[in-house]
C-alpha cells in the first residue's frame, strides 16, 4: 500500500502545475540539457529557467550538476508512483460515482418510457 506524504504531494503537484515545468520534464525525458539550452528552448531568461528548475529540483523531479560554468539538468530519481496512486484512488472514486449516476439516469429513462408521452392540458 502506498503511503501518502502530503508535503511531498504538494511539492510534486505544484511543480507539475506549470506548463513550462511540464515541458522541461518532457524535454529532459528525451535528453539531458543545460539550463542555458532549456532557457533558449522555452524563450525565457536564465534566471527564469533557474527558478523553474529549482522548483522541479525541490520536488525531486530533476537533478542538476554543475561542471565549470555549465549546470546540466536531468530527470530525477522520483518516478511519481505516489502521485499516480493518489490520482488513481480519486479516479476510481469518481468512476464509481459516475457509474451510479448512469444507473439513476437509465432508471429515469425507463420510467419515462414506461409512462409514455404526457398529454398537454
Amino acid at each position: 500500500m502506498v503511503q501518502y506524504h502530503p508535503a511531498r504531494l504538494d511539492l510534486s503537484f505544484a511543480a507539475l502545475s506549470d506548463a513550462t515545468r511540464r515541458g522541461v520534464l518532457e524535454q529532459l525525458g528525451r535528453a539531458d540539457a543545460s539550463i542555458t539550452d532549456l532557457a533558449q528552448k522555452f524563450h525565457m531568461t536564465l534566471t527564469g529557467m533557474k527558478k523553474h528548475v529549482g522548483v522541479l529540483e525541490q520536488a525531486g523531479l530533476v537533478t542538476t550538476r554543475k561542471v565549470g560554468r555549465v549546470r546540466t539538468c536531468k530527470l530525477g530519481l522520483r518516478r511519481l508512483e505516489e502521485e499516480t496512486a493518489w490520482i488513481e484512488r480519486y479516479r476510481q472514486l469518481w468512476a464509481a460515482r459516475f457509474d451510479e449516476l448512469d444507473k439513476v439516469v437509465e432508471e429515469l429513462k425507463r420510467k419515462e418510457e414506461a409512462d409514455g408521452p404526457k398529454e398537454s392540458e
Side-chain angles (χ1 to χ4, degrees):
M1 179 173 201
V2 176
Q3 294 293 320
Y4 302 114
H5 303 331
R8 193 161 129 184
L9 285 174
D10 290 348
L11 287 173
S12 296
F13 287 126
L16 295 171
S17 70
D18 183 84
T20 298
R21 291 192 286 268
R22 290 190 307 272
V24 167
L25 290 175
E26 287 178 30
Q27 182 68 31
L28 295 178
R30 291 188 282 277
D32 296 354
S34 70
I35 288 183
T36 302
D37 293 339
L38 292 170
Q40 288 173 350
K41 176 158 180 45
F42 290 92
H43 309 290
M44 63 175 31
T45 65
L46 283 173
T47 302
M49 184 52 69
K50 284 180 187 177
K51 288 180 182 180
H52 282 296
V53 169
V55 171
L56 291 167
E57 249 185 321
Q58 202 174 17
L61 301 174
V62 167
T63 60
T64 62
R65 193 179 90 175
K66 189 172 183 179
V67 177
R69 298 182 70 187
V70 177
R71 183 170 293 278
T72 303
C73 306
K74 67 179 187 175
L75 288 179
L77 298 175
R78 298 232 7 253
R79 299 287 186 245
L80 300 175
E81 291 92 356
E82 185 177 331
E83 293 78 1
T84 302
W86 186 90
I87 290 169
E88 179 59 20
R89 184 172 138 228
Y90 283 95
R91 190 201 62 75
Q92 289 175 2
L93 176 91
W94 281 104
R97 288 182 178 183
F98 284 124
D99 289 345
E100 290 301 314
L101 181 58
D102 286 343
K103 290 176 186 175
V104 169
V105 169
E106 286 303 315
E107 181 62 28
L108 289 172
K109 283 181 182 177
R110 277 194 296 274
K111 284 182 180 179
E112 189 176 275
E113 289 171 1
D115 290 344
K118 301 279 184 196
E119 291 183 32
S120 40
E121 294 179 21

